[in-house]
Amino acid sequence: MAKAKTSFVCQECGGVSTRWQGKCPHCGSWNTMHEFVEKPAAQAQNRFAHLAASAPVRSLAQIETAEIPRISTGMGELDRVLGGGLVSGGVVLIGGDPGIGKSTLLLQALTNLSQHTPVLYVTGEESAEQVAMRAHRLELDTTNVKLLAEIQLESIQQGLEQEQPKICVIDSIQTLFSGELSAAPGSVSQVRECAAQLTRLAKQKGISIVMIGHVTKDGTLAGPRVLEHIVDTVLYFEGETDSSYRLIRAFKNRFGAVNELGVFAMTDKGLKGVSNPSAIFLSQHNEEVAGSCVMATQEGTRPLLVEIQALVDTAHVPNPRRLTLGLDGGRLAMLLAVLHRHAGVATFDQDVFINAVGGVRINETASDLPVLLAIISSLRDRPLPKGLFAFGEVGLAGEVRPATRGQERLKEAAKLGFSIAMVPKHNMPKQEIEGLTIWPVSRLDEVLNYLR
């Protein structure tokens, strides 16, 4: 019999090495190499014998396509992030910090789905009694929800064969183990093998499988990087511990758009979708304050209004501080240099603090113009005009560049009662928007002319 081959796999990048090393030779990460025992060739050949038949070669133009049917979870925000709902045979991986609400969200979704679809909840972290207690606390009707408390992969596969559910939740993938491997549950080899086997079963039987995954201290999904490549959709559940709001983002979706955002509010009856998330990210001031500017950002197909706050104060140390929360700190240093070079506004002796209200993280460059407006307002200690919002990228030459989906941003702000929009000149709407005054700008010095 052929001997099992041992290799070492990096949990960060999935790189393989023949011997253990403290530093991964592929990505440079430290202490991420874990042992992986490969199956002998004879065993692998028997296990994958059904894949030996070669598929016929066809012309791509001859393949008929049809719109993928969706299975609604009954939760509009979750359906939005998934691209319209679950897909038959699709595999979803959702990660998040402990206690963020992953199990609660999926238990609520399964309860909704169970009214018209056979479902199965596989729990490996909690006992059946603990899951039942949570469902009772949330007052969920779990009459049609089947539960399996099991961590052995082969038993779970047998349960799926017997129950034939259309939707299955695995809580969580790190707790499962296969009897064919000697490694402990949660190891690289076990996570990779269990995820691959469940994905193969989902494709063969047309079962939609949702896996819950642990995250590392850096906030990324634990386990081998190949885990994200195996599944069809990767979601991240985010939220501050002191906030009742939760955000869910799609970072990979083979059946829909990425970078979609779903917003939930944690209540005593579980997670509830937020229909107007812009209200969360806007502070409620009784009167206009200096250092505040509203930004119209775009999260996937959803426009959002977020308040950007700036505090500029005299520095009492040789090296002034530049601190950002929710935005790119390196970009702030660049914007301050552009502000000085092309607008004559110096901040070399000032501490600058920037915050995106509500704990949201903004990654797009359209935040440049609102950040500069908030900085100028705080530096002058003068509030911006009432009802003003802005968006636009600022280049190193002092030009203001257009942002994508400008029309949607303008309409969202007008719907919420904003009356003045400072936008890049190329984002001027073709038709006038009722109740909205447009201030088009093409260079940074034009911005200051509007604020005088």
Side-chain angles (χ1 to χ4, degrees):
M1 180 180 294
K3 295 178 61 177
K5 182 180 178 181
T6 300
S7 57
F8 294 86
V9 182
C10 176
Q11 284 192 318
E12 293 294 330
C13 67
V16 181
S17 178
T18 56
R19 60 187 178 86
W20 184 87
Q21 301 179 65
K23 182 179 180 180
C24 174
H26 305 280
C27 66
S29 301
W30 287 92
N31 300 322
T32 58
M33 304 296 292
H34 290 263
E35 184 178 0
F36 174 67
V37 180
E38 299 182 10
K39 296 187 183 307
Q43 295 183 26
Q45 183 177 1
N46 293 335
R47 291 179 56 215
F48 299 105
H50 61 282
L51 300 177
S54 176
V57 178
R58 294 183 292 171
S59 170
L60 185 60
Q62 296 175 349
I63 300 176
E64 297 182 0
T65 59
E67 188 173 348
I68 302 174
R70 302 283 182 167
I71 306 172
S72 175
T73 62
M75 307 181 75
E77 293 297 302
L78 182 57
D79 287 342
R80 170 190 287 273
V81 178
L82 291 170
L86 294 169
V87 176
S88 179
V91 181
V92 179
L93 177 64
I94 178 170
D97 294 331
I100 201 71
K102 302 183 296 297
S103 300
T104 300
L105 175 69
L106 295 179
L107 184 58
Q108 289 181 249
L110 271 192
T111 302
N112 296 333
L113 289 163
S114 67
Q115 305 303 320
H116 53 80
T117 305
V119 300
L120 177 64
Y121 189 98
V122 179
T123 174
E125 294 189 352
E126 299 175 304
S127 66
E129 290 74 16
Q130 287 175 311
V131 177
M133 287 173 59
R134 179 189 293 115
H136 180 72
R137 185 176 69 251
L138 300 176
E139 298 181 0
L140 300 177
D141 180 12
T142 56
T143 306
N144 300 322
V145 179
K146 300 292 183 66
L147 180 67
L148 175 62
E150 183 59 67
I151 62 174
Q152 186 171 9
L153 176 64
E154 289 75 18
S155 299
I156 294 173
Q157 289 175 317
Q158 184 178 0
L160 290 172
E161 293 281 356
Q162 292 176 353
E163 297 295 333
Q164 295 292 318
K166 290 296 182 182
I167 313 292
C168 177
V169 170
I170 306 294
D171 185 10
S172 65
I173 188 62
Q174 273 82 12
T175 61
L176 304 190
F177 76 95
S178 172
E180 299 183 6
L181 299 178
S182 59
S187 62
V188 174
S189 55
Q190 288 286 8
V191 172
R192 174 188 288 183
E193 179 69 13
C194 292
Q197 290 297 319
L198 288 172
T199 301
R200 178 183 62 83
L201 187 61
K203 304 300 181 186
Q204 286 182 344
K205 303 294 183 180
I207 305 172
S208 295
I209 294 182
V210 182
M211 305 178 187
I212 295 178
H214 296 170
V215 295
T216 64
K217 61 182 180 180
D218 299 325
T220 58
L221 282 164
R225 181 63 62 183
V226 71
L227 183 61
E228 297 183 26
H229 298 291
I230 292 175
V231 301
D232 299 308
T233 304
V234 178
L235 307 180
Y236 277 86
F237 213 23
E238 307 169 357
E240 300 294 334
T241 55
D242 57 348
S243 173
S244 61
Y245 295 105
R246 303 287 186 267
L247 308 178
I248 184 168
R249 299 177 185 269
F251 283 84
K252 172 187 176 181
N253 194 349
R254 289 174 178 161
F255 305 111
V258 296
N259 292 327
E260 283 286 3
L261 178 70
V263 184
F264 294 90
M266 179 65 80
T267 68
D268 56 349
K269 301 301 180 184
L271 290 158
K272 306 294 183 183
V274 178
S275 58
N276 183 20
S278 294
I280 302 173
F281 308 120
L282 295 176
S283 289
Q284 304 298 324
H285 299 296
N286 295 328
E287 57 185 20
E288 298 300 316
V289 296
S292 173
C293 180
V294 175
M295 171 199 176
T297 185
Q298 191 78 19
E299 288 287 350
T301 59
R302 161 180 274 170
L304 288 177
L305 294 184
V306 179
E307 182 179 0
I308 304 297
Q309 294 181 336
L311 175 62
V312 182
D313 192 20
T314 303
H316 299 285
V317 293
N319 296 321
R321 297 188 64 189
R322 276 85 172 95
L323 180 64
T324 61
L325 295 175
L327 296 111
D328 183 8
R331 197 161 186 86
L332 173 61
M334 183 197 76
L335 291 175
L336 293 177
V338 173
L339 185 64
H340 181 215
R341 176 66 177 81
H342 296 285
V345 179
T347 57
F348 56 85
D349 58 347
Q350 305 285 324
D351 291 329
V352 181
F353 305 93
I354 304 293
N355 176 45
V357 173
V360 67
R361 178 155 189 84
I362 301 173
N363 297 315
E364 66 168 347
T365 55
S367 62
D368 292 350
L369 185 56
V371 167
L372 289 180
L373 287 172
I375 291 173
I376 295 171
S377 172
S378 178
L379 184 63
R380 294 178 173 180
D381 196 19
R382 185 189 309 166
L384 295 173
K386 186 177 181 179
L388 173 70
F389 74 97
F391 62 86
E393 178 185 355
V394 178
L396 291 177
E399 77 279 12
V400 181
R401 298 178 179 177
T404 59
R405 297 180 178 269
Q407 194 80 3
E408 288 85 348
R409 301 174 196 244
L410 293 172
K411 290 181 179 179
E412 175 71 12
K415 185 174 67 175
L416 293 177
F418 287 85
S419 57
I420 304 174
M422 183 178 289
V423 299
K425 192 173 183 179
H426 291 289
N427 281 128
M428 279 285 292
K430 296 180 180 179
Q431 297 181 352
E432 183 179 349
I433 299 177
E434 184 178 358
L436 194 61
T437 302
I438 306 295
W439 289 355
V441 292
S442 57
R443 295 197 56 80
L444 195 55
D445 52 0
E446 298 177 17
V447 175
L448 296 181
N449 291 334
Y450 279 113
L451 300 181
R452 286 173 181 168

